Amino acid sequence: MDARNPDVDLLFVGSSTNLLVYDCIKNADVFDQEIDDGVSVLDMCEAGSNPDVDEPMVIVGGNNSITGIDITGDERFWTIASGNVTAIQFMDVDGDGDDEMITCSDDSAVRILKGEDAVFELAEKAPVVLLTKVTDTTYGYCLKNGSFGVYEKEQKLWRQPRSNHDVAAICGCSTDVFGDGRGLLVVGFSSGVIQVHRGSDGEMINRIDTIKEPIAQLLFDDFRMMGKKQVIA
């Protein structure tokens, strides 16, 4: 986040009243900022992802507002939300080469913003609580009622109804296994089960049930630093 010190590892901690930024290398606070509307969601906005701000920011979703704060603790961006923010994801939804901000709130609204301007808005049947980028223009979601699926831009490709177990985490895999450019959606459940769904139509192509503990998080990254990404649970 700090262009002056790109190798610094920062930890962001949000509470009902404050945002704490902690320097893991120096073992010291960078700043502790009071947030009037509280912190319900945090995400990183890279330089250039917001047309009005040319520096990286941490994006804070709170009660009826979305705030962008830079490395010095200064507020650089603010816009109103239609409810308490439940999820945020940055990606180039419209394919114009610049990232948009997908925001979701507890009134079941999904808004895609370019700066403060809405590119388009969607209405779900329940609040979106999890978002993940799948490919450049597709993203996975999970609703509070347990349903999950994939959108391409503003079009819903598919939706899977709630299962017998609660969805705990989702992650997108851009690996184009089927040559359709829509990747895979990996879904982790509170039962420890992991399902892999085809991004284009939701077909389940793999199921892993050897994990006996609840899934807390899923990542798609090069954990072994060998140049190849894998799913990490």
Side-chain angles (χ1 to χ4, degrees), residues 8-13 19-24 30-31 42:
V8 172
D9 292 326
L10 300 177
L11 177 66
F12 298 84
V13 181
L19 171 66
L20 171 66
V21 180
Y22 181 78
D23 188 323
C24 300
V30 178
F31 64 80
L42 292 174

Side-chain angles (χ1 to χ4, degrees), residues 135 174-184 198-200 205:
T135 65
S174 57
T175 305
D176 192 7
V177 177
F178 298 100
D180 57 11
R182 287 173 173 164
L184 305 169
R198 186 169 173 166
S200 58
I205 61 173

Side-chain angles (χ1 to χ4, degrees), residues 41-214:
V41 179
L42 292 174
D43 201 4
M44 288 302 303
C45 175
E46 301 295 337
S49 294
N50 187 300
D52 302 319
V53 183
D54 59 0
E55 297 179 7
M57 299 181 291
V58 57
I59 299 297
V60 180
N63 185 21
N64 295 295
S65 71
I66 299 169
T67 307
I69 298 174
D70 66 16
I71 189 60
T72 66
D74 290 336
E75 181 179 308
R76 302 292 302 277
F77 173 80
W78 187 91
T79 190
I80 194 168
S82 57
N84 189 50
V85 180
T86 55
I88 294 175
Q89 176 70 47
F90 282 90
M91 58 179 288
D92 184 13
V93 179
D94 59 7
D96 67 351
D98 296 319
D99 283 351
E100 287 76 44
M101 179 169 59
I102 308 173
T103 69
C104 307
S105 51
D106 59 4
D107 62 350
S108 305
V110 181
R111 302 170 67 212
I112 289 78
L113 303 178
K114 189 179 290 291
E116 296 184 25
D117 300 326
V119 178
F120 49 83
E121 300 186 22
L122 309 168
E124 269 295 345
K125 295 182 178 180
V128 175
V129 293
L130 298 171
L131 275 176
T132 184
K133 178 180 178 179
V134 180
T135 65
D136 288 342
T137 57
T138 61
Y139 49 100
Y141 70 95
C142 176
L143 304 183
K144 188 175 182 179
N145 64 16
S147 300
F148 59 89
V150 168
Y151 275 95
E152 183 171 43
K153 299 182 179 179
E154 70 270 34
Q155 177 187 0
K156 185 182 295 183
L157 297 180
W158 57 272
R159 180 181 70 88
Q160 179 74 35
R162 179 177 181 174
S163 69
N164 294 328
H165 302 284
D166 292 334
V167 176
I170 60 175
C171 80
C173 300
S174 57
T175 305
D176 192 7
V177 177
F178 298 100
D180 57 11
R182 287 173 173 164
L184 305 169
L185 181 67
V186 183
V187 183
F189 295 86
S190 59
S191 61
V193 170
I194 296 176
Q195 297 178 357
V196 182
H197 292 263
R198 186 169 173 166
S200 58
D201 57 15
E203 177 187 355
M204 186 171 68
I205 61 173
N206 200 0
R207 175 187 168 97
I208 301 167
D209 54 11
T210 56
I211 300 174
K212 302 307 179 183
E213 300 295 331

